[in-house]
């Protein structure tokens, strides 16, 4: 189904408009790469005595709420005429499952830490690239040739390589070689479910966004309404004695705004491109992560980092550059 967003049928954009759109699209993807790559360093800046002082569920709620507010503003500014149009729950209901899958995935990330060490999680979580690609190919009937499958496996290998020791503490130069992965049987099951739900949530959301002939701002409004509702329910269901905003700082505000903005960008990517583009954006973000880690925390790059960069470069060439 093709949407004509404000353009008459048969309208062909001028070369100048086409170039402008390409530039804006490129800038949007670069911004998303920067946000993905800066997330872990920002979390480190939030730490107090080596620990995260705030509730992760509170941050998730604020991110979802910020995305909801932005979506409403976009709707009021660019799609105001839709406010007078009756919208059926038939259009909104599919996004409830999407929000539920995302909420389940966020909770799995927390619970998995009880059954494996962080290094193991970082390495094995890269398998969600493979699961997303498989579900994308199966459910959306997108047949990928062997060259593109090789590119996606290279992305996975790049993530594993970087997670295994792409950065090194100069005060502990032997740390990557001494890293020992530990995982229990329950942890292995949870990481498998996590990768499955991660891919399923992304592919399902892409399918809904593309199937409905509705503006993205309205679709986002549905998605994030259910996201806020589910996360607020989950937060107060398992709330502790700590306050909702306890441990918050200016860095947490940066995280909330940047992650909300990134979520909106990913909606655009899934609506007008695909989850494969999203996977490449996430993989490329290790460049930003490495730069910030070296700059802010005096970490050093290792051979694993350069192997990861070479793998990503080859993957991009195989998927997008070879004809």
């Amino acid at each position: 189904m093709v949407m004509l967003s404000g353009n008459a049928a048969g309208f062909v954009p001028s070369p100048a408009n086409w170039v402008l759109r390409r530039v804006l699209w490129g800038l949007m993807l670069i911004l998303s790469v920067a946000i993905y790559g800066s997330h872990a360093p920002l979390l480190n800046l939030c730490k107090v005595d080596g620990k995260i002082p705030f509730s992760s569920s509170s941050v998730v709620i604020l991110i979802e709420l910020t995305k909801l507010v932005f979506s409403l503003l976009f709707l009021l500014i660019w799609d105001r005429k839709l406010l007078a149009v009756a919208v059926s729950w038939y259009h909104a209901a599919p996004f409830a499952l999407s929000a539920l899958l995302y909420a389940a995935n966020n909770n799995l990330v927390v619970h998995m830490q009880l059954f494996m060490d962080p290094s193991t999680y970082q390495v094995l979580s890269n398998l969600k690239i493979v699961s997303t690609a498989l579900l994308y190919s199966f459910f959306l009937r997108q047949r990928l040739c062997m060259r593109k499958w090789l590119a996606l496996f290279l992305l996975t290998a790049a993530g594993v390589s970087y997670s295994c020791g792409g950065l090194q503490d100069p005060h502990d130069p032997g740390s990557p070689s001494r890293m020992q992965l530990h995982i229990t049987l329950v942890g292995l099951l949870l990481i498998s479910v996590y990768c499955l739900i991660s891919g399923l949530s992304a592919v399902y959301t892409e399918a809904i966004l593309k199937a409905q002939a509705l503006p993205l701002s309205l679709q986002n409004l549905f998605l994030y309404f259910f996201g806020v509702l589910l996360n607020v329910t989950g937060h107060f269901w398992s709330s502790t004695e700590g306050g909702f905003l306890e441990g918050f700082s200016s860095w947490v505000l940066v995280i909330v705004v940047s992650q909300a903005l990134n979520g909106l960008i990913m909606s655009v990517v899934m609506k007008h491109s695909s989850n494969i583009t999203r996977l490449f954006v996430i993989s490329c973000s290790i460049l930003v992560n490495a730069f910030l880690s070296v700059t802010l925390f005096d970490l050093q790059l290792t051979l694993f980092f350069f192997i990861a960069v070479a793998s990503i470069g080859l993957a991009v060439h195989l998927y997008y550059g070879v004809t």
Side-chain angles (χ1 to χ4, degrees):
M1 183 177 296
V2 179
M3 291 185 60
L4 302 176
S5 302
N7 295 326
F11 172 77
V12 178
S14 66
N17 286 337
W18 183 85
V19 170
L20 178 60
R21 290 183 182 183
R22 297 289 289 183
V23 170
L24 291 176
W25 182 259
L27 291 175
M28 184 180 65
L29 294 181
I30 291 173
L31 177 59
S32 183
V33 168
I35 293 174
Y36 269 118
S38 63
H39 183 58
L42 284 173
L43 283 176
N44 272 292
L45 291 174
C46 293
K47 288 183 177 179
V48 177
D49 297 327
K51 296 181 179 180
I52 298 294
F54 54 83
S55 166
S56 58
S57 62
S58 298
V59 172
V60 171
I61 290 172
L62 289 177
I63 291 173
E64 292 297 303
L65 186 59
T66 304
K67 289 189 287 188
L68 180 65
V69 171
F70 281 161
S71 299
L72 180 59
L73 289 176
F74 293 154
L75 184 63
L76 292 173
I77 294 172
W78 285 294
D79 298 299
R80 181 185 294 270
K81 59 183 180 180
L82 286 173
L83 296 178
V85 177
V87 178
S88 170
W89 277 100
Y90 172 79
H91 298 101
F95 291 98
L97 177 57
S98 185
L100 181 62
L101 289 171
Y102 282 123
N105 227 36
N106 291 333
N107 281 279
L108 268 178
V109 171
V110 177
H111 290 295
M112 279 189 298
Q113 310 300 320
L114 302 175
F115 301 98
M116 68 185 73
D117 60 283
S119 298
T120 302
Y121 165 72
Q122 290 179 2
V123 172
L124 295 181
S125 63
N126 290 286
L127 294 175
K128 65 185 178 182
I129 295 176
V130 177
S131 65
T132 301
L134 287 170
L135 293 169
Y136 171 80
S137 177
F138 180 76
F139 285 109
L140 300 183
R141 293 186 174 89
Q142 300 292 325
R143 297 292 177 256
L144 303 177
C145 63
M146 288 302 297
R147 171 173 50 82
K148 291 188 174 183
W149 277 115
L150 177 58
L152 293 171
F153 279 112
L154 281 171
L155 281 189
T156 306
V160 170
S161 178
Y162 187 70
S163 301
C164 282
L167 297 171
Q168 177 179 274
D169 187 344
H171 303 295
D172 188 12
S175 54
S177 61
R178 292 206 308 267
M179 185 177 66
Q180 296 180 352
L181 302 184
H182 170 72
I183 186 171
T184 65
L185 183 60
V186 175
L188 187 61
L189 176 62
L190 287 176
I191 196 72
S192 300
V193 174
Y194 165 76
C195 291
L196 177 63
I197 295 180
S198 177
L200 185 61
S201 59
V203 171
Y204 175 75
T205 301
E206 178 182 343
I208 299 173
L209 292 176
K210 289 180 174 177
Q212 294 183 349
L214 294 175
L216 182 58
S217 58
L218 183 59
Q219 292 177 309
N220 280 337
L221 199 65
F222 295 151
L223 176 61
Y224 302 133
F225 167 78
F226 288 115
V228 171
L229 183 64
L230 288 171
N231 282 286
V232 167
T233 302
H235 173 79
F236 288 104
W237 182 270
S238 59
S239 62
T240 59
E241 295 181 0
F244 184 80
L245 299 179
E246 184 176 341
F248 274 46
S249 65
S250 57
W251 288 118
V252 180
L253 178 61
V254 173
I255 290 175
V256 168
V257 175
S258 63
Q259 290 303 308
L261 179 60
N262 200 38
L264 294 170
I265 292 175
M266 285 299 102
S267 292
V268 176
V269 169
M270 287 190 285
K271 177 85 169 179
H272 300 290
S273 183
S274 71
N275 267 291
I276 302 301
T277 302
R278 184 181 67 89
L279 295 178
F280 275 91
V281 167
I282 295 173
S283 295
C284 289
S285 69
I286 70 170
L287 300 174
V288 176
N289 179 272
F291 172 77
L292 292 176
S293 298
V294 170
T295 304
L296 298 175
F297 309 115
D298 295 324
L299 299 181
Q300 295 177 347
L301 303 178
T302 70
L303 179 61
F304 286 106
F305 169 77
F306 295 102
I307 292 175
V309 172
S311 298
I312 292 173
L314 182 56
V316 171
H317 175 67
L318 287 174
Y319 200 94
Y320 295 106
V322 176
T323 57

